[in-house]
Amino acid sequence: MATDVREKSYLDTLLEAQGRPPAGSPSFLSELRADALEHANALRVPTTRDEDWRFTDLSPLYRTSFPAAHAPAALIESAIAPFVVSEAHGRLVFVDGFFAPEFSVVLADGGITIASLASALAMQNERVRAQLGQVVDFRKDPFAAVNTAWLRDAAVVLVDEGTSVERPIHILFLGATPGTAAYPRVLIAAEADSRCTVVEEFASLHGESGFTNGVSEILLGENASLRHVRLQQESSAAFHIATCRMLLARGAKCSSVSVALGARLSRYNVGVVQGGEGADWQLDGVAVISGRQLADTHSVFDHGAAHGRSRQLHKCIAGGAAHAVFNGKILVRPGAQQTDSGQQSRNLLLSDRASIDTKPELEIFADDVKCAHGATVGQLDAEQVFYLKSRGLSDASSRNLLTFAFAAEVVERIAIPSLVARIEDFVLKQTQSKESQ
């Protein structure tokens, strides 16, 4: 079992690299960290021997030690400018895992709190205490356990009952120091009958290696509504592992779009738990990768109450020698009658060297449900290419246009013009690169 020793040693390395948690924390936070640390010490990191990771080899990550940054890199305003979402109502910026108040727009009025963890605890201690660490199960997930064990700060968005926030809230995590690890944390809690839009963005200011290990928790009260966008565009040499869990109360609605463009190796674990009748959610995603990138998305829809509705459309575009992975599971528990759930995995190969593994799953324990899934993997339609060429476009332009349109179907669902334009510009450049052909 020598391999297990090495795997455990790597987890120990991650824990030791974080140093000691800050002194003077609230007792509940210290207890949460201690609980997570105890479980982290009992776990091992996954390998391809584990079913959920059999398509994703993390050995390149395990061969590198990433210490946490001791302090954030010094940045000027122009470094942040390319990532600004002009429509945003408020903005929280974290650099190398540290909150950067000089680049943030913090709000605490009008029924909404947008703040760092320290500020949120000062303003709404009981609310944060009741919700932080309650959705993501770090007892079985070693990466979530490490994130929680040394939880120092977090982006916190709290929306009061009946509050409607029309403009998006932007949370930006920037990696500015090569060779270091960051542990982003997000808490979004929207109370009954509230509405908001939140953008989580992860980006690098360098082209070198680094490690991001993120955790996001989303709690929606009765009849609350959330539009959620997640954009990952880190360095093509970086490692990115993240977990997002959502808990939806009765009648809650969530529309989420995730876009994966960067990282040498990325893994996004996203799950939705239906905590009340009539919850409705749609989780869409697209991964656009090339070269030797690997992008893996695992989703779990847990229908635990009646009259739930869920939809998912996930697309992967792989060029060069890239490898994309999608595993989507729909779970319908006993008593979750009248569930209506659908899932589609559509994938596009741009080269003979690229590969895509897709695995949709259904696990149903109720008899009055409507559930369906499907998966396709293919290349560009030759007839569509011929049609565009017959209209005067070159072969390359025809293929680029069709590839762009394939991704745009998901990207345009974001409905934030400046962000959509930025993503589409990246995708267009990616489809035009020789590496993607």
Side-chain angles (χ1 to χ4, degrees):
M1 298 299 289
T3 302
D4 287 338
V5 172
R6 289 195 295 271
E7 292 155 7
K8 184 66 183 115
S9 297
Y10 184 77
L11 199 58
D12 291 338
T13 300
L14 289 181
L15 291 168
E16 293 167 0
Q18 283 289 80
R20 294 184 176 273
S25 299
S27 59
F28 89 91
L29 195 53
S30 297
E31 292 170 3
L32 179 64
R33 291 192 190 110
D35 189 15
L37 179 59
E38 180 181 352
H39 284 87
N41 284 324
L43 295 169
R44 64 170 179 83
V45 291
T47 72
T48 53
R49 297 191 303 271
D50 299 293
E51 178 62 25
D52 283 349
W53 292 84
R54 67 190 181 99
F55 296 122
T56 301
D57 182 7
L58 293 177
S59 58
L61 171 64
Y62 301 156
R63 288 195 291 266
T64 309
S65 176
F66 293 100
H70 296 297
L75 301 179
I76 58 177
E77 189 73 32
S78 59
I80 307 296
F83 307 101
V84 170
V85 176
S86 58
E87 299 90 343
H89 180 61
R91 180 173 69 237
L92 298 175
V93 179
F94 293 77
V95 178
D96 294 333
F98 294 87
F99 178 57
E102 66 274 25
F103 302 124
S104 302
V105 180
V106 177
L107 299 174
D109 56 19
I112 184 169
T113 299
I114 306 171
S116 66
L117 178 59
S119 297
L121 285 171
M123 293 182 286
Q124 300 203 42
N125 182 281
E126 292 303 317
R127 188 172 172 187
V128 174
R129 177 175 179 170
Q131 295 168 329
L132 185 66
Q134 300 306 304
V135 182
V136 169
D137 186 4
F138 55 74
R139 293 163 183 82
K140 298 178 181 179
D141 183 339
F143 292 107
V146 172
N147 178 289
T148 306
W150 302 119
L151 198 161
R152 286 171 164 77
D153 210 341
V156 179
V157 177
L158 306 176
V159 187
D160 295 347
E161 182 175 352
T163 299
S164 181
V165 184
E166 299 300 328
R167 295 164 59 194
I169 299 154
H170 187 204
I171 302 171
L172 175 61
F173 294 100
L174 288 175
T177 304
T180 60
Y183 297 84
R185 189 80 180 212
V186 175
L187 173 64
I188 302 169
E191 293 188 348
D193 300 305
S194 63
R195 294 177 54 199
C196 66
T197 299
V198 179
V199 177
E200 292 182 51
E201 182 171 2
F202 303 82
S204 300
L205 295 177
H206 58 79
E208 299 179 45
S209 184
F211 178 37
T212 297
N213 176 11
V215 170
S216 297
E217 299 180 290
I218 298 174
L219 302 92
L220 301 185
E222 290 191 2
N223 300 310
S225 178
L226 170 69
R227 296 179 65 89
H228 178 248
V229 180
R230 188 181 194 278
L231 172 59
Q232 185 273 111
Q233 52 177 339
E234 295 187 319
S235 160
S236 59
F239 298 91
H240 182 101
I241 296 177
T243 298
C244 176
R245 291 290 182 269
M246 308 180 188
L247 176 60
L248 276 59
R250 182 178 63 86
K253 293 180 172 57
C254 179
S255 173
S256 179
V257 178
S258 66
V259 181
L261 305 175
R264 172 187 175 187
L265 186 157
S266 66
R267 166 75 174 234
Y268 181 43
N269 300 305
V270 57
V272 181
V273 176
Q274 182 188 350
E277 291 192 5
D280 186 323
W281 65 93
Q282 177 155 348
L283 267 63
D284 299 320
V286 61
V288 184
I289 54 176
S290 61
R292 300 191 64 82
Q293 288 180 280
L294 187 155
D296 183 349
T297 297
H298 269 57
S299 66
V300 177
F301 289 178
D302 187 344
H303 286 272
H307 303 286
R309 180 185 181 277
S310 64
R311 293 288 185 272
Q312 183 173 32
L313 171 61
H314 191 84
K315 293 189 171 188
C316 298
I317 302 174
H323 180 195
V325 180
F326 172 75
N327 192 134
K329 180 177 181 179
I330 297 172
L331 170 62
V332 183
R333 297 186 181 275
Q337 306 293 355
Q338 296 290 306
T339 291
D340 181 358
S341 185
Q343 181 186 85
Q344 289 290 324
S345 169
R346 300 177 188 168
N347 306 282
L348 184 62
L349 293 168
L350 299 182
S351 77
D352 294 335
R353 295 176 296 146
S355 62
I356 294 175
D357 292 292
T358 180
K359 183 186 175 186
E361 300 179 59
L362 292 176
E363 191 171 347
I364 302 172
F365 299 97
D367 54 11
D368 186 10
V369 302
K370 183 169 66 174
C371 296
H373 62 191
T376 61
V377 179
Q379 298 178 324
L380 292 173
D381 190 314
E383 291 187 2
Q384 293 179 345
V385 174
F386 176 78
Y387 175 82
L388 292 176
K389 290 171 66 176
S390 70
R391 295 299 184 271
L393 294 179
S394 66
D395 182 75
S397 296
S398 300
R399 293 178 180 276
N400 292 340
L401 183 60
L402 290 172
T403 304
F404 177 79
F406 186 83
E409 181 185 2
V410 172
V411 174
E412 289 176 354
R413 297 182 181 186
I414 293 173
I416 302 173
S418 67
L419 195 58
V420 170
R422 178 146 58 93
I423 296 171
E424 289 185 340
D425 181 63
F426 179 96
V427 173
L428 190 59
K429 290 178 180 177
Q430 185 87 332
T431 60
Q432 291 175 343
S433 69
K434 292 181 180 179
E435 190 176 30
S436 298
Q437 304 305 315

